[in-house]
Amino acid sequence: MTLLRLTGFHRKASTLMARSDATMKTAAFCRLACLLSLFLLLLETTASAQCCGGGGRGRRQSVGGVYVDALGMLSNAEIDDRDQLRQTLLRALAEQPGDLIQPADLRKVSLRRLEQAIDEQLRTGKDPSDEMRYLAGLQTIEYVFVYPEQHDIVLAGFGEGWTIDSQGFVVGRTTGRPVLLLDDLMVALRNARRNQESGISCSIDPTQEGLASLRQFASSLIALNNDTIQQIEHLLGPQVVSVTGIPATSHFARVLVAADYRMKRLGMALDPSPLGKRLTSYVEMIPVAGRGMQSMTPRWWLVPNYAPLLTNADRTAWQLRGGSVKCMTEDSLFAADGSKVATGKTSSAAQLWAQAMTTRYDELAAKEPIFAQLRSCMDMAIVAAIITAQDLPAKAGYSFSLLTDPTQLATDEYDAPRTTASRASVIKRANGYIVSASGGVEIRTDELLEKIEQSPTLDPAARAAAPAAETRWWWN
């Protein structure tokens, strides 16, 4: 996603003429902000469907305050859309048994028995139940255990009953954290092998043609008015949403794009921070006094922030530790032809905001469920990478084909986010900056699998979590 912010520039023409050719190119572009500061929102909104997992077909595709239409255009979701989504989901919510509702520090889910339970549903013409779609209320995955004698793989983490929050997320009754989704797990498992090197990512960017047109227009601009803003929006045109490593039509992809969008809106002060002064915007961190207009622009992207994985001697037990998210940053330079070049550098303000975003991420995730759900998707991607790279199905002696084969059980499909319109507004500011914030989300599981430590503590943990002969597919 890209946000462009231009602030006041007060230099005499004679001073500009004395600059070097390289500086003159920047100065010409900066005429756009001669009298006032222009704040351009190049991404008005981003993508996400309802984050409940399952039932994507036929439901209104909005969550977290954003909406995607059938043509893939992103826009802000109306309050009525969110309320209608929540009421629809509440009406469809099935009653939950008492032992499922109760919080459990270590709820276990057997993947083999889950497959068998889903298969029984499908053979009787039924869809997977809520318990299956929401993975028995798991909110985190802390352990992955392999049991060769039971031909099983078990996931374990905190779990409890669920409800629907105001934005349409399925969340824990006591924690308010989004539950993990069967749909996201299947997407992660089915794409894990091809993502071992390339990873999973999303990005939202203006087109090279749009940026080149804006630069050409700005080079001859001497005044700024409402018509100018409309011209800028028209020249920039729609921006492009790209998703790699997973289907763009998946719920998993919607989470990545939506989290990217929310991060940028907070960073550029387009939405109030839910944490107040504990997480101020990047705009507020820009120095009041500058050295004139600058075309260097920050890029922010979110990556997994986990401690090294733990495993036992025979690699049949795994532990995910310290799961959170880190905000990375780097300055980008937009050339005269609209192309973008990474510089390998970053401004102090961009670095400070990235550090604040990282430090406050868990606190922010408690207020904005989309950030918690992004962390859940990262859990899923890491678990899928462990299962695939370590060939845990072979160790278990079971193929788990229903979860891994799309021909046996399809995942939900949503309208793929493709483009978003540009929007502009005007503010006053004394210093001179051009700030274009781009970036996305990047999940490189290959890097995480390079950081593995061995621990003897996992063997007793695995024995304690082993499924009993009469156990259903989940237990506490």
Side-chain angles (χ1 to χ4, degrees):
M1 179 185 71
T2 300
L3 300 163
L4 186 61
R5 179 175 180 276
L6 293 87
T7 56
F9 183 61
H10 307 286
R11 295 282 188 181
K12 294 182 179 180
S14 58
T15 304
L16 294 175
M17 294 298 293
R19 293 183 176 180
S20 65
D21 290 343
T23 307
M24 282 294 292
K25 291 179 181 178
T26 300
F29 182 50
C30 297
R31 295 175 194 167
L32 184 59
C34 296
L35 302 176
L36 294 175
S37 303
L38 177 64
F39 191 105
L40 283 178
L41 170 57
L42 298 186
L43 182 62
E44 172 64 16
T45 183
T46 190
S48 181
Q50 55 83 20
C51 290
C52 302
R57 307 174 187 84
R59 288 188 178 172
R60 301 185 68 85
Q61 302 202 59
S62 63
V63 72
V66 294
Y67 178 82
V68 182
D69 69 16
L71 297 178
M73 176 63 73
L74 317 179
S75 62
N76 281 329
E78 300 292 337
I79 293 177
D80 288 345
D81 289 326
R82 301 199 300 269
D83 289 345
Q84 185 174 350
L85 170 64
R86 182 174 187 272
Q87 293 303 318
T88 299
L89 295 174
L90 282 172
R91 286 193 295 270
L93 201 63
E95 185 177 353
Q96 302 161 40
D99 53 348
L100 185 67
I101 292 175
Q102 292 302 315
D105 289 335
L106 209 61
R107 179 159 293 171
K108 297 91 174 178
V109 170
S110 158
L111 295 187
R112 182 177 66 84
R113 296 181 184 187
L114 172 60
E115 273 202 353
Q116 292 172 344
I118 293 174
D119 185 59
E120 290 178 9
Q121 290 281 104
L122 297 177
R123 284 192 284 106
T124 58
K126 299 178 182 178
D127 290 330
S129 66
D130 282 358
E131 289 182 26
M132 300 167 188
R133 291 163 56 207
Y134 306 143
L135 292 177
L138 279 183
Q139 296 176 24
T140 62
I141 300 176
E142 184 178 357
Y143 295 100
V144 180
F145 298 124
V146 183
Y147 298 101
E149 293 183 0
Q150 289 95 339
H151 305 295
D152 208 352
I153 295 175
V154 172
L155 309 181
F158 179 85
E160 65 173 339
W162 52 84
T163 186
I164 311 298
D165 77 355
S166 61
Q167 296 184 43
F169 287 87
V170 179
V171 298
R173 288 174 175 248
T174 66
T175 65
R177 296 195 305 250
V179 301
L180 303 183
L181 307 181
L182 172 65
D183 197 80
D184 291 338
L185 177 61
M186 292 192 297
V187 168
L189 287 170
R190 292 170 184 181
N191 294 277
R193 192 167 301 283
R194 70 187 181 100
N195 293 330
Q196 285 180 341
E197 295 183 2
S198 60
I200 299 170
S201 66
C202 78
S203 185
I204 308 173
D205 300 289
T207 64
Q208 184 171 331
E209 294 78 11
L211 288 170
S213 297
L214 177 60
R215 282 187 176 276
Q216 184 178 3
F217 174 73
S219 66
S220 59
L221 187 64
I222 58 175
L224 183 65
N225 52 46
N226 289 333
D227 290 338
T228 306
I229 296 173
Q230 293 177 5
Q231 286 178 284
I232 290 170
E233 293 175 347
H234 175 72
L235 287 169
L236 285 167
Q239 294 182 74
V240 178
V241 180
S242 59
V243 176
T244 62
I246 52 175
T249 55
S250 66
H251 174 267
F252 197 122
R254 290 295 184 87
V255 173
L256 268 60
V257 178
D260 173 36
Y261 161 70
R262 299 302 298 174
M263 174 180 64
K264 302 306 191 313
R265 286 192 67 92
L266 291 173
M268 301 307 291
L270 298 171
D271 289 332
S273 170
L275 302 183
K277 293 299 182 181
R278 298 193 303 282
L279 181 64
T280 58
S281 70
Y282 167 70
V283 171
E284 295 173 82
M285 293 182 176
I286 296 176
V288 174
R291 297 174 296 174
M293 277 294 195
Q294 301 179 43
S295 61
M296 301 296 289
T297 59
R299 178 177 181 267
W300 295 305
W301 68 101
L302 299 172
V303 300
N305 189 23
Y306 288 66
L309 298 170
L310 287 186
T311 189
N312 60 350
D314 59 4
R315 300 202 169 192
T316 57
W318 295 81
Q319 183 178 9
L320 282 66
R321 299 184 299 158
S324 188
V325 179
K326 184 176 183 179
C327 183
M328 308 290 289
T329 185
E330 180 184 51
D331 286 341
S332 298
L333 175 64
F334 288 101
D337 64 355
S339 60
K340 183 173 66 174
V341 180
T343 66
K345 302 177 181 178
T346 184
S347 68
S348 58
Q351 185 62 46
L352 283 173
W353 194 81
Q355 291 173 351
M357 182 70 181
T358 299
T359 301
R360 298 292 183 183
Y361 191 90
D362 292 344
E363 190 177 352
L364 180 63
K367 297 285 188 178
E368 291 269 2
I370 191 60
F371 293 111
Q373 192 148 54
L374 173 63
R375 186 174 55 205
S376 296
C377 283
M378 290 181 174
D379 273 0
M380 296 286 200
I382 296 168
V383 167
I386 293 171
I387 291 174
T388 302
Q390 298 294 319
D391 201 6
L392 299 191
K395 292 184 177 181
Y398 189 81
S399 65
F400 302 94
S401 59
L402 189 146
L403 295 178
T404 57
D405 184 355
T407 65
Q408 295 195 40
L409 179 62
T411 56
D412 289 328
E413 292 187 1
Y414 301 79
D415 295 324
R418 302 182 188 279
T419 60
T420 185
S422 300
R423 295 291 182 267
S425 60
V426 177
I427 64 170
K428 294 182 178 180
R429 191 70 181 267
N431 61 318
Y433 284 89
I434 301 172
V435 179
S436 172
S438 62
V441 176
E442 187 176 68
I443 306 174
R444 293 296 304 269
T445 54
D446 58 332
E447 296 177 358
L448 292 168
L449 288 173
E450 292 174 356
K451 304 173 182 178
I452 299 174
E453 298 176 358
Q454 189 170 312
S455 172
T457 63
L458 290 182
D459 286 320
R463 287 193 293 270
E470 69 281 0
T471 301
R472 58 194 164 189
W473 65 267
W474 68 268
W475 64 98
N476 294 327

